[in-house]
């Protein structure tokens, strides 16, 4: 069996030697190994992919006994359970459904939740449950409460916002710390907020982009996972930009999810460390 | 001889037919032709590259007589005369000097003006005059006055800011309307203002960029000509980003200048129309 | 109504003037216009998007009467009818099904034909007919005959090979001249033929790509429409390359189809002229 | 002081633990660490950047005593001494001269050798010796002998072919195993051999590229270090492609040299392992 071991610690001499020593003693075979030290913060990050027979908690305990102050995550390489939230646009959702069906992203889509009903046929065509949670006549708190009820039934490891166009409250976000991933339709931090393609059109930029990021309390300000761009020119209307942007959005989101679901992403402050 | 004809007009039926008719009557051979209509503004743009024997003012008059309200630019295909302004960084300047020497960008560098003296050897090694105009002990008005004196002697068609790190006054900019080109070390409009790489580092972006634009009154807000990007990751310090950014900066500036100096760029409001 | 007018002719003076004159006389409004002259062959290409009320054959006749030797194609802007052929891989097909459903590529998928049955559920989930034409126990001639029978029932304007992994005979290809589009999983002309990712792995390249092209008689040698690339490194196995390549393949194929179905592509010899 | 430690070995359990143990015992601080295992060949590669006070041969001996069969390279982080060979084209050479002058690539250019005299002024303007070794009236053996005489005087660590357009003999290449780096003006393995832009033009490709590689016995077949690409279209003549290609060539060469001179590149068979 293959496992992912993620370690974060205050940097000091001998860390790699100590950790690799524990793996060696357990007879585990290191298949991939990456380290990074953030020199400004004296912070050490390590990701190891190893194979062997092991009880995760025993291994974690062995590392902890030698290095008491390090943060340890160990998990078997496996598919992550995901609920996807959408509004009206099908391009990201459609791409995720296809990829999930053919097991491309290390992701199992348990359900799709939407504040509209337009994407039901698409989703159900893939045999995935679709929950329409209308926001009409409900305030944000009530609406989010309804959504939470549904999500909690599925108990997902991650919530993916695949063009969900309503802003989530801090209280909602706080339920899933570092576990909500959003695709934003601009090259953040350019064009924060609403209608980024309109903003881009008016500014006359020559490249547009998309950004996949973890969602935190501040709008469009969570740790960035991946960004992508596409060249445009003067012939593009704001609508053409949105259309061109869709392809980038779905690529960027898929790439980000693949990295996160393969346990390659650390969050440190408002940044990510990613071992590709 | 090859000429560039640029026409801007209120859009209406028959424009192409009328203009191409004049060229036909004069026996001129169209080698390239591009049109664009901005549908929002009902504005027509056309660039024609033609060859033949012609007096430019006679041709312009012939077009004007048939289409009295159009804006016309005709110029023989030729090198543009340029003064380059720099501060301390050699990468863009060095690239321009090499390209100018081997006639790659349609540009003749008449002189380099700097508020520092560090790049003198590099510039003079290419046989180009170098003017050091110190800003110490001078206010902005006086300093710009000194620079203007020098530039005016050379009477350039364009002023290129190849990492000139001081902000120019409106009055200075007003002397060269649509004729000053700047390279900005970020993917505008992200990270406007000072220290964009520090800003990018702190935001944790995964792509950085550079923007070549015409300079107008507002800081970093002139019409964009070209933009370029380069992927980065968590291992990049702000310094590493600046270093990586340099390669994009020099590519983007060179690409923009090539387009402008080949008469391929229209400015319309705060945007550009570019016939590549 | 919007129309696409495509003209190919021996280059000479006055062509644009003559053609735009006919459009002007008919009161048609030019919305986009592009010309290109291949200087080596003295060949003129023009694509015009115009709007108005017109009988296509009358307009074609009017142009022909003035310019007897030019090739003319006029068609209303509309969706193209397509049959897709596949073998086992779902990534390109899935992307096309999603895009067709949401009318993104100017394409109506009439049916899918495959020499395997594995993709039936995916296709039928989109309400598209799926025809399994097994090749076992049939020689190529017989197998292609069976496929042709089915395709002809649908009378498509284009046949798209979305990872159809068998080589088509000249006789089959000859039934659809310039109307079969293939996605090849390499950056042609590198790695022509079978197993390009294995070839790329063995050569140790640092970038892999994909190529969308028209199919002609010679294997992998038809006119190229679009190409795309993705960087790889030493950690990629041949299998990883294939996986990474899939994303490029589907993007490149979608981009090519959009251009072809919007009547933006001329074929000239073994090259394409594309007015983007 | 900072050192680069490169290790290559038959893969087995405990390698990282052993090697990091030696560094720990010597009180050396690991700043960067990368490992890679080629699963097909069971081969382990590791690059460590560490700082501390150490005698390189003592450290190497300590590692060897514990792991007798591993290949070890240790060198202080420092500029590499380089001789550049060119023919007539200035773009790569000019870029290297500028970068070397401002210490960008970890490279000290000791001299430039050319079979033409056209680039003498450029080179000498940078204070670098220029040696013109004409090939007229000399057979290849004699010509290479003359070049070798000059290169050997400078005793460079690397020879960089910055558009040197003559094929070098095996005997010449054998003098500098794994120490000659070439920039090839195509996206290898497409368009091997002469006139790649002409070949690309005739094939009608939509992307062109460049490849930096180590030179070995077989033409254009050495281990690839870096590749880069640029999109083109039907309007590009073979000459335009060559011009567009120049920018890619100089970027790709600079990137490759930076990696090699920072001791980030292993050669294994005909491939490279690169720890970026």
């Amino acid at each position: 069996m293959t496992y992912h071991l993620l370690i974060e610690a205050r940097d000091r001499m001998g860390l790699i030697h100590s950790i690799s020593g524990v793996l060696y003693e357990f007879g585990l075979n290191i298949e991939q190994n990456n380290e990074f030290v953030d020199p400004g913060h004296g912070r050490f990050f390590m990701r190891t992919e190893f194979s062997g027979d092991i009880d995760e908690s025993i291994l974690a305990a062995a590392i902890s006994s030698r290095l008491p102050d390090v943060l340890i995550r160990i998990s078997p390489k496996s598919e992550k359970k995901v609920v996807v939230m959408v509004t009206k646009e099908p391009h990201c959702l459609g791409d995720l459904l296809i990829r999930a069906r053919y097991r491309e992203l290390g992701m199992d889509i348990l359900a799709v939740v939407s504040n509209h009903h337009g994407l039901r046929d698409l989703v159900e065509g893939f045999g995935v449950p679709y929950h329409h949670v209308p926001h009409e006549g409900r305030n944000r708190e009530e609406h989010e409460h309804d959504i939470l009820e549904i999500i909690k039934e599925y108990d997902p490891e991650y919530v993916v916002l695949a063009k969900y166009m309503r802003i989530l409250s801090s209280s909602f976000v706080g339920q899933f710390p570092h576990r909500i991933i959003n695709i934003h339709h601009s090259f953040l931090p350019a064009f924060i907020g609403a209608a980024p393609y309109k903003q881009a059109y008016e500014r006359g930029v020559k490249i547009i982009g998309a950004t996949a990021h973890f969602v935190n309390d501040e709008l469009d300000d969570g740790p960035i996972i991946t960004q992508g761009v596409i060249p445009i020119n003067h012939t593009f209307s704001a609508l053409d930009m949105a259309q061109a942007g869709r392809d980038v959005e779905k690529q960027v989101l898929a790439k980000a999810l693949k990295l996160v679901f393969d346990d390659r992403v650390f969050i440190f402050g408002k940044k990510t460390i990613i071992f590709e």
Side-chain angles (χ1 to χ4, degrees), chain A residues 11-66:
Chain A
D11 188 35
R12 66 255 202 195
M13 245 186 268
L15 279 174
I16 297 173
H17 183 58
S18 293
I19 298 161
S20 60
V22 177
L23 295 171
Y24 182 62
E25 286 159 27
F26 278 89
L28 301 168
N29 196 34
I30 297 178
E31 290 174 352
Q32 272 189 45
N33 205 48
N34 292 93
E35 303 93 16
F36 172 67
V37 175
D38 182 321
H41 299 87
R43 204 78 193 151
F44 170 90
F45 302 87
M46 177 169 168
R47 179 189 185 275
T48 303
E49 219 171 298
F50 65 84
S51 57
D53 263 330
I54 187 69
D55 181 298
E56 295 143 58
S57 57
I58 291 175
L59 178 61
I63 297 172
S64 283
S65 74
R66 214 161 302 180

Side-chain angles (χ1 to χ4, degrees), chain A residues 16 24 26 40 42 48 74 114-115 141 159 161 181 257 259:
Chain A
I16 297 173
Y24 182 62
F26 278 89
T48 303
I74 308 178
S114 177
N115 55 329
E141 197 175 33
V159 174
L161 309 182
I181 295 160
L257 295 183
L259 292 168

Side-chain angles (χ1 to χ4, degrees), chain A residues 106-253:
Chain A
M107 164 183 70
D108 184 13
I109 300 180
L110 306 175
V112 173
V113 177
S114 177
N115 55 329
H116 282 267
H117 52 72
L119 299 168
R120 179 181 297 278
D121 285 358
L122 175 65
V123 171
E124 292 182 349
F126 282 83
V128 172
Y130 185 85
H131 299 273
H132 176 206
V133 185
H135 60 262
E136 287 86 359
R138 312 277 285 158
N139 63 31
R140 189 165 73 166
E141 197 175 33
E142 292 163 346
H143 185 234
E144 289 189 350
H145 177 267
D146 297 349
I147 293 174
L148 265 177
E149 292 275 293
I150 292 169
I151 294 182
K152 285 191 169 165
E153 266 176 55
Y154 289 100
D155 192 23
E157 294 164 271
Y158 289 93
V159 174
V160 174
L161 309 182
K163 305 291 287 179
Y164 181 72
M165 304 309 280
R166 293 172 66 83
I167 294 167
L168 296 169
S169 70
S170 297
S171 138
F172 185 100
V173 171
Q175 303 277 322
F176 307 96
H178 294 181
R179 289 165 51 206
I180 306 180
I181 295 160
N182 182 46
I183 179 70
H184 182 80
H185 44 174
S186 95
F187 186 73
L188 288 175
F191 311 127
I192 285 178
Y197 292 121
K198 187 161 172 292
Q199 290 182 61
Y201 173 76
E202 280 164 8
R203 180 62 187 90
V205 293
K206 300 298 184 183
I207 295 180
I208 56 172
T211 304
H213 62 96
F214 289 103
V215 177
N216 64 7
D217 273 17
E218 281 176 73
L219 179 62
D220 299 341
D221 201 40
I224 293 170
I225 307 164
T226 325
Q227 301 191 287
V229 294
I230 194 171
I232 56 161
N233 61 43
H234 62 270
T235 66
F236 283 65
S237 67
L239 210 73
D240 295 331
M241 287 188 192
Q243 196 167 4
R246 269 180 226 142
D247 281 358
V248 190
E249 290 167 16
K250 72 189 198 193
Q251 291 160 28
V252 166
L253 180 58

